[in-house]
Amino acid sequence: MIEPTEELMKIAIEAAVTSAKNGDYGHGAIVVRDGEVIATGYETLKSANDPVNGHAEVDAIRKACQKLQQPYLQGCILYSTAEPCPMCMSAAVWSKIDTVAYAITRDDMIAEMERLKQSSGGKFSWRQIAIPAEYIVEHGEPKVSLVPGFMREEGLKLFALTGSSS
């Protein structure tokens, strides 16, 4: 397992702020190898009208593979401001990322989405597949180390940036 650092998670958080400023959800991700940021991923789901490649984690993984000119990212850590969805976690496994550190958990996101649904009179909808990152890791190969809740309090603040997004 590669130990995450607060300094690097702050870069992923900055990417999430940029994503939100661009009209997307406040999610960000970076891929790091040997302490160096290889790629930064931004959430572009809404601005690019792309529910697949618009996820910050997929964006960061794709950019890192392109930059390194290789399909695998052994020796790298993925920092994400949120627990990766099943698609993004699978991409981390398939790219052979060693470690995934994330700030807010799926349970944090579910609680926030319920709050938004209540405050919007039921108009807010959230698309999700109820498979936690841990399940993907347990059933995937190669094994990826997870560091959940890393800088969680800072990650929770990102909800304020996207509270009106749907």
Side-chain angles (χ1 to χ4, degrees):
M1 180 175 92
I2 300 169
E3 291 294 329
T5 69
E6 289 187 7
E7 174 187 348
L8 290 166
M9 180 59 91
K10 287 178 183 175
I11 296 170
I13 290 170
E14 289 171 16
V17 171
T18 298
S19 296
K21 285 181 179 175
N22 291 336
D24 283 286
Y25 297 109
H27 296 298
I30 61 171
V31 173
V32 174
R33 183 172 66 184
D34 297 327
E36 177 189 347
V37 177
I38 304 299
T40 302
Y42 301 93
E43 188 80 6
T44 59
L45 187 144
K46 294 192 299 183
S47 62
N49 296 312
D50 188 345
V52 177
N53 297 313
H55 287 223
E57 299 93 340
V58 167
D59 188 40
I61 290 168
R62 290 181 76 206
K63 287 175 179 175
C65 289
Q66 290 167 355
K67 183 174 180 177
L68 296 173
Q69 297 185 340
Q70 62 187 43
Y72 302 118
L73 299 172
Q74 295 105 321
C76 293
I77 178 172
L78 174 68
Y79 288 81
S80 178
T81 56
E83 181 173 342
C85 74
M87 176 182 68
C88 292
M89 193 64 233
S90 295
V93 170
W94 290 326
S95 68
K96 300 183 181 180
I97 290 254
D98 285 347
T99 304
V100 175
Y102 54 91
I104 60 172
T105 66
R106 189 173 166 282
D107 289 339
D108 293 328
M109 289 183 280
I110 290 169
E112 178 65 9
M113 296 313 117
E114 284 302 314
R115 188 195 66 73
L116 286 172
K117 191 172 183 179
Q118 295 294 325
S119 67
S120 70
K123 293 180 184 176
F124 183 85
S125 68
W126 180 45
R127 289 117 343 252
Q128 59 123 356
I129 299 172
I131 301 173
E134 181 180 271
Y135 182 88
I136 301 293
V137 169
E138 288 171 5
H139 294 85
E141 193 64 45
K143 296 301 178 201
V144 175
S145 296
L146 294 178
V147 184
F150 185 75
M151 293 183 64
R152 179 177 175 263
E153 292 305 314
E154 288 82 352
L156 289 170
K157 294 174 187 173
L158 295 169
F159 286 137
L161 300 176
T162 56
S164 60
S165 300
S166 58

